[in-house]
Amino acid sequence: MRLLIVEDERRLALSLAKGLRAEGFAVDVVHDGLEGLHLAATEGYDLVVLDIMLPGMNGYRVCAALRAAGHEVPILMLTAKDGEYDEAEGLDTGADDYLTKPFSYVVLVARIRALLRRGGGGRPSPVITAGPLRMDTAARRVSLDGTEVQLAAKEFAVLEQLAVHAGEVVSKAEILEHVWDFAYEGDPNIVEVYVRTLRRKLGAELILTVRGAGYRLEVPR
Ligand code: CA
């Protein structure tokens, strides 16, 4: 899952990003509304955390512009305590939820997970099943034939991308885009490393390599 944080308070933005990365999300951060709008409109984010008072363009206008252009990405708005935020106005512009500063980090993560489950883009329930595999994306648990398997955050995220598209080919680029963030400039073959680990933990036959195209999570018919 890849998130965009648009927040001009740099320390807050960076600490949120750090925490969310530790949860296994890929996170990009920008500090300006126009830049946020551009990225949110052009990159494939699963959710946008959007501050209201921003340089360049305020959060209401960013949100309204995204919706006007047909983008359904879930948007969680952040607001200061001084009542700058008008809930009606925010929901009017198409935000999915809002959070008043200062908020607890735990609450933020819970709201993000709730929005991802609800899915602005029509994402189904938090539990994904594909053959013997069962992933509870809310509880972050994976089981294979009923036996729980321990996965690290990034391993979980890679498997989730494959499981959401079970039976279809998922390209390495697609996995990179959703699991690693913008700043990642390392070797794209890192995806292979994670697939190898997943095969070791889940059995070699679950994830198939489709030469020149990517990977496919096999679902028995
Ligand atoms: Ca601000």
Side-chain angles (χ1 to χ4, degrees):
M1 292 283 158
R2 187 173 174 197
L3 313 182
L4 175 66
I5 297 176
V6 189
E7 166 62 81
D8 60 324
E9 287 170 48
R10 284 168 194 258
R11 282 182 57 182
L12 173 64
L14 296 177
S15 80
L16 290 180
K18 193 175 165 200
L20 290 166
R21 284 184 188 125
E23 304 272 340
F25 293 107
V27 184
D28 295 331
V29 179
V30 289
H31 308 294
D32 172 284
L34 273 176
E35 232 180 302
L37 174 61
H38 173 70
L39 276 183
T42 52
E43 301 286 325
Y45 292 105
D46 298 294
L47 183 138
V48 177
V49 177
L50 182 61
D51 187 31
I52 290 172
M53 301 300 280
L54 287 167
M57 183 188 255
N58 75 46
Y60 290 129
R61 291 182 54 211
V62 172
C63 186
L66 282 170
R67 296 302 186 234
H71 296 285
E72 292 184 338
V73 59
I75 295 177
L76 173 61
M77 279 202 163
L78 302 181
T79 170
K81 209 180 177 176
D82 57 17
E84 96 189 36
Y85 185 81
D86 176 335
E87 185 180 347
E89 190 178 352
L91 296 175
D92 248 17
T93 59
D96 296 275
D97 198 2
Y98 72 98
L99 207 52
T100 305
K101 293 176 189 171
F103 48 80
S104 101
Y105 176 72
V106 174
V107 170
L108 174 79
V109 173
R111 297 287 189 88
I112 286 175
R113 291 210 191 285
L115 280 177
L116 288 172
R117 279 201 295 281
R118 205 168 80 194
R123 191 169 285 109
S125 96
V127 177
I128 306 167
T129 49
L133 183 74
R134 185 179 187 279
M135 296 187 80
D136 185 332
T137 59
R140 321 285 299 166
R141 296 168 84 132
V142 184
S143 62
L144 191 70
D145 284 323
T147 306
E148 188 153 352
V149 181
Q150 300 296 327
L151 295 184
K154 280 272 192 273
E155 294 164 7
F156 189 97
V158 170
L159 184 64
E160 186 179 16
Q161 278 305 309
L162 291 168
V164 164
H165 303 284
E168 300 165 26
V169 176
V170 183
S171 72
K172 252 189 238 178
E174 213 175 309
I175 295 173
L176 267 181
E177 183 177 301
H178 282 269
V179 178
W180 279 270
D181 52 58
F182 210 58
Y184 182 76
E185 284 176 357
D187 188 348
N189 290 325
I190 186 151
V191 175
E192 277 171 33
V193 175
Y194 279 87
V195 167
R196 215 174 298 143
T197 309
L198 287 169
R199 282 178 176 146
R200 186 165 51 72
K201 292 187 174 182
L202 298 162
E205 62 288 341
L206 189 71
I207 302 167
L208 201 87
T209 300
V210 182
R211 287 245 170 267
Y215 300 99
R216 187 173 70 223
L217 195 126
E218 289 290 81
V219 272
R221 288 164 206 279

